[in-house]
Amino acid sequence: MSKNQGKAFIFDLDGTLFQTEQVAIPAFHRTYQQLQEQGLYQGDRPADEQVTSVFGMTSEGIWERLLPGASDEVKKRADDKWLENELDCLAEGMGALYPGVPQSLEALHGQGFRLFVASNGQGPYVRGVLQAFGIRSWFTGIYSAGEKKIFDKRQLVALLMKEHQVTSGWMVGDRSSDVQAGKANGLTVIGCRYAGFPQFGDEKELEDADQVIHSFSELLTTRADVNP
């Protein structure tokens, strides 16, 4: 057994592994157009900046911000259509992983670390991204808030660790919810704030992280400095 087998890396998806905006923004605008055409919502169309501001949030928080005043039925319809449109965008070849993601994940996997995803996104979307870019096989488990019906990332990560007997490791993400989830579960937290790419939260969101990296490939050297 590898000496690293007991340690795990738990990754957020959007803004950490995947350049979310390349799929989520066009998929949202398709969704909004469909809602308008069906007479389900007539409010102002959110700007792209408003759409990116909800990345990493749970479904409830997303629609409170993007479709204020909409009924629960309309929000559910929007949720379903956005997922459908995101999967369509992926199938059309939209989207990209951040530079260095495939190579670094392969290296960590090869060193015997267990890799997981814990995301506030919907399960089919999360798995769709991993599958579309050929990195699904490197992950031991994929946990999404929607499928687990757990809308607090601290609890989602706690469940993951319990079910897979993870006792130490790293939480890697770009939002404060990732930092909180890692700290609450005794993990070393590595915040992601990639140079040259859009940021979906302000710098304060990562102020309690143990380390902040500016490219994904830094993970291969940073972890040696912040061992759990």
Side-chain angles (χ1 to χ4, degrees):
M1 179 182 292
S2 166
K3 64 178 182 175
N4 295 325
Q5 190 62 38
K7 298 179 180 180
F9 279 87
I10 302 175
F11 295 94
D12 174 47
L13 179 72
D14 294 329
T16 301
L17 302 177
F18 184 58
Q19 297 181 48
T20 318
E21 73 283 357
Q22 294 189 18
V23 162
I25 290 177
F28 174 79
H29 289 307
R30 292 183 189 184
T31 300
Y32 185 87
Q33 186 67 31
Q34 290 161 349
L35 293 176
Q36 281 206 318
E37 290 172 352
Q38 295 166 17
L40 296 175
Y41 190 76
Q42 299 301 323
D44 293 335
R45 181 189 293 264
D48 289 354
E49 293 77 12
Q50 291 174 276
V51 178
T52 60
S53 75
V54 305
F55 293 169
M57 296 175 63
T58 60
S59 178
E60 182 179 357
I62 287 172
W63 298 117
E64 284 296 324
R65 183 172 296 185
L66 295 184
L67 300 181
S71 68
D72 290 342
E73 182 179 353
V74 169
K75 291 176 183 176
K76 176 63 169 64
R77 175 69 172 165
D79 219 28
D80 292 342
K81 292 303 294 182
W82 200 2
L83 171 60
E84 180 182 314
N85 287 320
E86 284 177 326
L87 295 176
D88 285 346
C89 288
L90 285 171
E92 292 166 22
M94 296 184 189
L97 300 174
Y98 287 102
V101 167
Q103 300 89 337
S104 300
L105 292 178
E106 185 176 21
L108 292 172
H109 184 266
Q111 292 168 18
F113 292 104
R114 288 187 294 164
L115 311 181
F116 297 88
V117 169
S119 171
N120 284 331
Q122 297 191 58
Y125 161 74
V126 176
R127 289 191 299 274
V129 169
L130 302 181
Q131 195 68 38
F133 294 96
I135 60 175
R136 170 66 183 88
S137 63
W138 293 327
F139 291 95
T140 298
I142 298 169
Y143 282 63
S144 71
E147 286 184 337
K148 298 296 182 180
K149 305 300 181 186
I150 296 176
F151 301 105
D152 183 321
K153 203 160 202 178
R154 292 168 294 188
Q155 296 175 16
L156 186 66
V157 170
L159 176 66
L160 182 161
M161 292 177 67
K162 179 180 178 181
E163 292 188 345
H164 291 273
Q165 298 180 326
V166 174
T167 57
S168 66
W170 297 263
M171 181 74 211
V172 185
D174 68 313
R175 301 302 297 263
S176 59
S177 59
D178 301 310
V179 177
Q180 294 163 6
K183 292 293 185 180
N185 289 286
L187 300 169
T188 298
V189 178
I190 299 179
C192 302
R193 194 166 186 83
Y194 303 134
F197 290 92
Q199 308 299 322
F200 307 134
D202 60 38
E203 292 185 13
K204 292 183 179 179
E205 293 209 33
L206 299 178
E207 62 185 1
D208 292 328
D210 296 293
Q211 184 80 27
V212 175
I213 58 176
H214 302 285
S215 68
F216 193 83
S217 57
E218 286 181 38
L219 197 61
L220 296 176
T221 53
T222 298
R223 64 173 177 79
D225 300 325
V226 288
N227 277 322

